[in-house]
Amino acid sequence: MKNILFTTILVAGTSIALNAQLIVNAEFRPRGEIRHGYKSLFSDEDKSAYFVSQRTRLGVNFTQEKYSLSITGPDVRIWGDESVYNQTSVKGDEASVELFEANLQIKFWHYTSIKLGRQQWVYDDQRLLSARNWGQTGIAYDGILFKYDDSNFRTDIGLSINNDKENKVGNEYTPDKMKFLDFVYLSKKLGQSSFITFMGIISGYQKDEGSETIYASATYGPYFKINQKKIELESSFFHQSGTNIKSQSINAYLFSLNGLYKFTDKFSIGPGIDFVSGNDPSSSSDTDYSFDILYGGRHRFLGDMDYFTNLSNSVLDAGIVDLFVKANLALNKRNNVNFTYHHFSTHKNITDPIYLSTNLKKYLGDEFDIMYKYKAEMPAELKVGISLYNATRSMEVLQDVDGNASKLQFFTYVQLAFSPNIFTSQE
């Protein structure tokens, strides 16, 4: 089978015109995890979870002077999750293979192009639109992307419209899924490695099952990054308005600021803040002050323990404030260690469900994340991470494990990513 695949690729590659190129790449990414408090606090009665997940991708990219075609197919599984089996053998899994990317990009004049189909939309620090690469499945979008890029100024316009099936009548859609996501992105370089951008997004959700009413919200704001010899600084501010799925008006915001000071070529350290606005759970206001991060990165912000990936559940939409300090240590060109300390608290007060006349303290706990990365000579990267969380009583109450939470919350993983180019034709 491998000989047939190699021969097919070789014949296709040698028949390509001189101004075209065919690239076949792959990714093999297993990750072993031990969870003792990951995403939710661990109680004394619980037992640690451990497992291995695996992502396998095969991608084909054909590029010609006027167009390019990309197709990527992944398989995502947990070791041992086969759904087709009997007592004497394991036969396989019915639902792990799918299509991750399939798009056509057509190039026009004066730095313009259009991309159609399933594609990744990744911008800036991935606060609102991201690859969500921590998850083995990742995330891609079905849509159209118009792009202008002359290396100093860039404009992207993305359009999408989603349906569950080929409807005969109407356009009803699953309420929990985004019916549409349209955006405009502007970026201007300020120097060799500094730039400022602006993102404006219009998104909409269906009101409820059986309805075609769409509630739309607007999210907009700037982001900038300054990278100098000794200082790296980045910041963003986004405001959100419109109407949420509960028919409430929205007035929410997100603010982030972080920096690194490079003491040497091998060591840098700096503080930061992530501020996501929220609601007062005891308020009867018709305005929603809780910021929706849309399809933004989840694991890359607010700690590796992932307690705050869904703020509606974790802090009752009261918002979150993360004060953190990051430090990076390059042992040599192949070995790096990253340290991050987080101090978490809610934006708004939450009424204590036991002592109803008082509020819970806003302070939720501290987290310490360590990540070691080794980049090999071959196309492989090894990551080893460990995270520790010290929960306060407020966090225990919100997690509904009041009085029974284990004192030591931890999460650790080992991940290998092997990403070779299997075949590259000569241009």
Side-chain angles (χ1 to χ4, degrees):
M1 181 64 185
K2 289 195 296 184
N3 291 336
I4 295 174
L5 176 61
F6 179 78
T7 302
T8 303
I9 293 172
L10 183 61
V11 171
T14 54
S15 63
I16 296 173
L18 292 178
N19 63 342
Q21 187 177 43
L22 176 67
I23 299 176
V24 180
N25 53 47
E27 182 185 26
F28 173 73
R29 198 180 84 167
R31 182 171 68 229
E33 301 181 30
I34 299 176
R35 297 181 172 185
H36 186 102
Y38 176 75
K39 283 196 172 181
S40 60
L41 289 182
F42 211 74
S43 71
D44 294 332
E45 295 81 13
D46 293 330
K47 295 182 179 180
S48 300
Y50 49 90
F51 60 89
V52 178
S53 62
Q54 179 179 310
R55 170 202 288 177
T56 308
R57 286 178 179 173
L58 181 65
V60 178
N61 183 271
F62 177 74
T63 303
Q64 207 255 3
E65 184 180 0
K66 292 294 185 182
Y67 65 87
S68 63
L69 178 67
S70 298
I71 300 175
T72 303
D75 173 85
V76 176
R77 63 180 60 246
I78 303 296
W79 286 9
D81 72 348
E82 288 81 4
S83 57
V84 183
Y85 64 93
N86 58 36
Q87 290 181 333
T88 60
S89 67
V90 175
K91 299 181 180 180
D93 194 2
E94 295 179 330
S96 63
V97 178
E98 61 178 19
L99 189 65
F100 181 63
E101 284 186 294
N103 59 77
L104 172 66
Q105 180 167 316
I106 303 172
K107 302 172 185 177
F108 297 104
W109 59 94
H110 301 310
Y111 315 107
T112 60
S113 64
I114 181 174
K115 182 185 286 189
L116 305 95
R118 193 157 188 80
Q119 56 193 282
Q120 292 191 76
W121 286 342
V122 180
Y123 291 91
D124 299 331
D125 62 351
Q126 304 187 42
R127 187 72 61 169
L128 299 178
L129 295 179
S130 69
R132 289 195 182 172
N133 196 49
W134 168 257
Q136 296 286 38
T137 55
I139 188 171
Y141 307 84
D142 298 311
I144 303 173
L145 181 69
F146 302 92
K147 186 172 182 178
Y148 173 88
D149 189 353
D150 66 3
S151 75
N152 286 314
F153 180 75
R154 173 179 167 185
T155 302
D156 287 12
I157 300 175
L159 303 173
S160 69
I161 186 71
N162 300 312
N163 289 282
D164 288 318
K165 57 185 179 180
E166 296 180 0
N167 296 322
K168 293 181 179 179
V169 178
N171 293 283
E172 185 182 345
Y173 194 57
T174 304
D176 290 339
K177 298 165 66 178
M178 207 173 289
K179 178 64 176 177
F180 63 85
L181 185 147
D182 304 329
F183 68 89
V184 174
Y185 174 80
L186 307 173
S187 176
K188 178 70 172 67
K189 280 193 173 181
L190 302 177
Q192 186 66 27
S193 54
S194 301
F195 57 92
I196 185 170
T197 72
F198 177 85
M199 173 75 80
I201 300 175
I202 301 293
S203 56
Y205 288 90
Q206 181 178 300
K207 178 182 178 182
D208 49 38
E209 201 75 39
S211 170
E212 289 191 34
T213 301
I214 304 297
Y215 289 125
S217 65
T219 306
Y220 41 88
Y223 165 89
F224 74 83
K225 185 171 185 177
I226 298 174
N227 197 343
Q228 302 295 336
K229 185 177 180 180
K230 288 287 186 179
I231 297 176
E232 182 177 312
L233 182 68
E234 66 177 340
S235 179
S236 61
F237 177 83
F238 295 103
H239 185 256
Q240 208 162 63
S241 59
T243 307
N244 67 13
I245 199 169
K246 298 177 182 178
S247 191
Q248 297 173 309
S249 61
I250 303 171
N251 182 18
Y253 59 93
L254 179 152
F255 170 74
S256 71
L257 174 66
N258 66 86
L260 285 173
Y261 182 80
K262 303 172 187 176
F263 285 91
T264 68
D265 291 337
K266 294 186 176 181
F267 180 71
S268 59
I269 189 170
I273 179 174
D274 285 336
F275 189 109
V276 184
S277 69
N279 294 312
D280 181 347
S282 64
S283 173
S284 59
S285 173
D286 291 332
T287 300
D288 183 8
Y289 298 98
S290 178
F291 190 91
D292 180 1
I293 66 170
L294 305 176
Y295 287 131
R298 306 277 174 163
H299 182 75
R300 65 187 293 118
F301 303 111
L302 304 178
D304 290 349
M305 295 285 281
D306 285 348
Y307 283 119
F308 309 107
T309 56
N310 185 335
L311 296 179
S312 294
N313 294 332
S314 60
V315 294
L316 305 180
D317 268 337
I320 194 75
V321 180
D322 177 15
L323 301 174
F324 59 87
V325 177
K326 288 185 177 182
N328 300 323
L329 176 63
L331 303 176
N332 52 48
K333 67 177 182 179
R334 298 197 179 279
N335 295 270
N336 290 271
V337 183
N338 299 324
F339 306 88
T340 307
Y341 164 76
H342 299 269
H343 176 93
F344 294 110
S345 58
T346 59
H347 170 214
K348 296 293 187 178
N349 287 316
I350 300 176
T351 302
D352 191 316
I354 299 176
Y355 307 102
L356 298 178
S357 59
T358 62
N359 294 322
L360 292 173
K361 292 183 178 180
K362 292 184 177 181
Y363 173 43
L364 299 177
D366 304 285
E367 180 174 328
F368 190 53
D369 302 323
I370 308 173
M371 194 269 287
Y372 163 75
K373 181 168 66 176
Y374 171 72
K375 194 168 182 63
E377 291 186 14
M378 60 181 180
E381 183 179 81
L382 176 70
K383 290 183 178 180
V384 181
I386 182 167
S387 298
L388 306 171
Y389 193 95
N390 177 38
T392 64
R393 178 182 176 273
S394 296
M395 188 69 174
E396 292 175 353
V397 171
L398 290 171
Q399 292 274 314
D400 196 25
V401 289
D402 188 25
N404 294 309
S406 170
K407 295 301 180 184
L408 178 63
Q409 307 288 330
F410 71 85
F411 165 60
T412 184
Y413 66 90
V414 179
Q415 175 180 285
L416 172 67
F418 180 63
S419 307
N421 275 347
I422 298 175
F423 175 83
T424 302
S425 69
Q426 298 296 321
E427 293 189 32

